[in-house]
């Protein structure tokens, strides 16, 4: 009994420590966004003279491009998510349900590609975008994000599809269903948990990526949030750290909405996708 009590106590202590480590920087950013002035030196988590000035400045269309950056990011996020989910589902279904030459080598290639981050090919990506005329366009970002999301997510999706009994496919095929109908009406509805996981992963990428967007985008009107917010603190004589904090807080809203709307699928999707390969 004493051993269980000690174990439970240690578990709570660890949870509290981890929660503090996670929540402290979040609370600090939120508190800084309500502090007056532009410097973080006098900021506090709970400001005595809190103000909404920085949030108002962000939404001032005459003096700020924040809403343009926000729209650019959402556009890139949504299109990347849709294209990635379609490509990942089709590719994973092919690897899971069909046997063809190069199948095992293809899966191994996906595993290897997971170990190479996109920014490792920055020079090649920049040269290719410049050669194809896609430099300083959102299409270039979307294509890079979509291509980068395929290897890891395909492997996860394929592992999940392997858990769906193939007898369902055979029964539908006996009733006259073709491969695409089996894929769309039978397999995909059962794969909703993993589709939710892939959707969230690919939706978050443009919000969190800075390097690729900074290399490919040149004009301020086409910046994503990561690049645009960086410009607020990059100027040596015009650092606006508190406005940067306010902009960072606003980034969490669509991600939180996406996470909460798909939360019920995550546990089963992640655990099942990681059990078979």
């Amino acid at each position: 009994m004493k051993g269980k009590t000690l174990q439970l106590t240690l578990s709570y202590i660890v949870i509290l420590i981890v929660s503090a480590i996670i929540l402290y920087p979040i609370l600090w950013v939120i508190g800084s966004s309500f502090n007056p002035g532009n410097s973080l030196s006098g900021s506090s988590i709970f400001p005595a003279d809190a103000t909404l000035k920085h949030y108002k400045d962000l939404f001032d269309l005459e003096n700020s491009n924040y809403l343009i950056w926000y729209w650019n990011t959402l556009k890139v996020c949504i299109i990347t998510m849709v294209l990635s989910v379609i490509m990942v589902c089709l590719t994973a279904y092919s690897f899971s349900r069909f046997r063809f030459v190069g199948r095992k080598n293809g899966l191994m290639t996906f595993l290897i590609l997971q170990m190479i981050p996109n920014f490792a090919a920055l020079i090649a990506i920049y040269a290719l975008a410049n050669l194809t005329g896609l430099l300083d366009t959102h299409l270039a970002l979307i294509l890079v994000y979509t291509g980068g999301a395929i290897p890891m997510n395909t492997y996860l999706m394929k592992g999940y599809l392997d858990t769906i009994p193939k007898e369902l496919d055979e029964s539908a095929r006996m009733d006259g269903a073709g491969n695409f109908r089996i894929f769309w009406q039978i397999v995909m509805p059962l794969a909703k948990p993993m589709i939710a996981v892939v959707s969230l992963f690919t939706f978050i990428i443009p919000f969190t990526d800075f390097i690729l967007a900074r290399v490919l985008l040149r004009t301020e009107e086409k910046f994503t949030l990561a690049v645009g917010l960086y410009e607020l603190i990059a100027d040596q004589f015009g650092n606006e750290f508190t406005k940067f904090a306010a902009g960072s807080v606003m980034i969490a809203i669509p991600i939180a909405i996406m996470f909460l709307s798909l939360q019920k699928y995550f546990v089963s999707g992640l655990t099942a996708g990681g059990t078979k390969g």
Side-chain angles (χ1 to χ4, degrees), residues 156-169:
L156 286 175
M157 178 68 77
K158 187 262 181 189
Y160 189 89
L161 296 184
D162 286 344
T163 65
I164 299 176
K166 294 182 180 180
E167 288 78 9
L168 296 175
D169 302 25

Side-chain angles (χ1 to χ4, degrees), residues 71-124:
W71 165 246
N72 291 341
T73 307
L74 284 176
K75 179 176 67 175
V76 173
C77 285
I78 294 172
I79 297 176
T80 298
M81 178 184 67
V82 173
L83 290 179
S84 297
V85 169
I86 293 173
M87 295 297 294
V88 167
C89 289
L90 290 172
T91 307
Y93 179 77
S94 299
F95 277 109
S96 176
R97 289 302 196 261
F98 301 112
R99 298 296 179 266
F100 50 88
V101 178
R103 176 177 175 273
K104 290 185 178 180
N105 292 332
L107 288 173
M108 184 61 65
T109 301
F110 281 165
L111 281 176
I112 295 173
L113 289 175
Q114 290 182 46
M115 298 184 289
I116 304 176
N118 285 338
F119 64 81
L122 275 181
I123 297 177

Side-chain angles (χ1 to χ4, degrees), residues 74 77-78 80-82 85 195-205 207 251-266:
L74 284 176
C77 285
I78 294 172
T80 298
M81 178 184 67
V82 173
V85 169
I195 293 176
V197 172
V198 174
S199 298
L200 182 67
F201 284 173
T202 53
F203 182 81
I204 292 176
I205 289 175
F207 276 106
I251 290 178
I253 294 176
I255 297 177
I257 293 174
M258 186 76 176
F259 179 84
L260 293 174
S261 62
L262 301 175
Q263 186 179 17
K264 61 181 179 180
Y265 298 112
F266 290 153

Side-chain angles (χ1 to χ4, degrees), residues 3-5 19 43 51 67 74-75 77 100-101 156 169 172-174 176 206 211 222:
K4 290 184 179 180
T5 303
S19 299
S43 299
T51 177
L67 288 179
L74 284 176
K75 179 176 67 175
C77 285
F100 50 88
V101 178
L156 286 175
D169 302 25
R173 194 167 284 111
M174 291 178 63
I211 297 178
K222 294 183 179 180

Side-chain angles (χ1 to χ4, degrees), residues 9-155:
T9 302
L10 291 175
S11 299
Y12 278 118
I13 292 175
V14 171
I15 291 174
L16 288 174
I17 293 174
V18 173
S19 299
I21 294 173
I22 295 173
L23 292 176
Y24 180 76
I26 295 176
L27 292 175
W28 185 266
V29 171
I30 295 175
S32 298
S33 68
F34 291 104
N35 277 271
N38 294 326
S39 175
L40 291 180
S41 59
S43 299
S44 61
I45 298 181
F46 304 104
D49 48 353
T51 177
L52 293 173
K53 178 181 181 301
H54 305 305
Y55 290 94
K56 293 179 181 178
D57 291 342
L58 289 176
F59 289 94
D60 184 1
L61 294 177
E62 295 182 359
N63 302 312
S64 173
N65 288 323
Y66 183 77
L67 288 179
I68 297 176
W69 302 336
Y70 215 108
W71 165 246
N72 291 341
T73 307
L74 284 176
K75 179 176 67 175
V76 173
C77 285
I78 294 172
I79 297 176
T80 298
M81 178 184 67
V82 173
L83 290 179
S84 297
V85 169
I86 293 173
M87 295 297 294
V88 167
C89 289
L90 290 172
T91 307
Y93 179 77
S94 299
F95 277 109
S96 176
R97 289 302 196 261
F98 301 112
R99 298 296 179 266
F100 50 88
V101 178
R103 176 177 175 273
K104 290 185 178 180
N105 292 332
L107 288 173
M108 184 61 65
T109 301
F110 281 165
L111 281 176
I112 295 173
L113 289 175
Q114 290 182 46
M115 298 184 289
I116 304 176
N118 285 338
F119 64 81
L122 275 181
I123 297 177
I125 292 173
Y126 176 84
L128 187 60
N130 189 37
L131 183 65
T132 56
L134 294 178
L135 193 64
D136 197 27
T137 64
H138 294 146
L139 179 59
L141 272 182
I142 292 170
L143 293 176
V144 173
Y145 289 148
T146 302
I150 290 176
M152 180 187 72
N153 292 307
T154 295
Y155 201 81

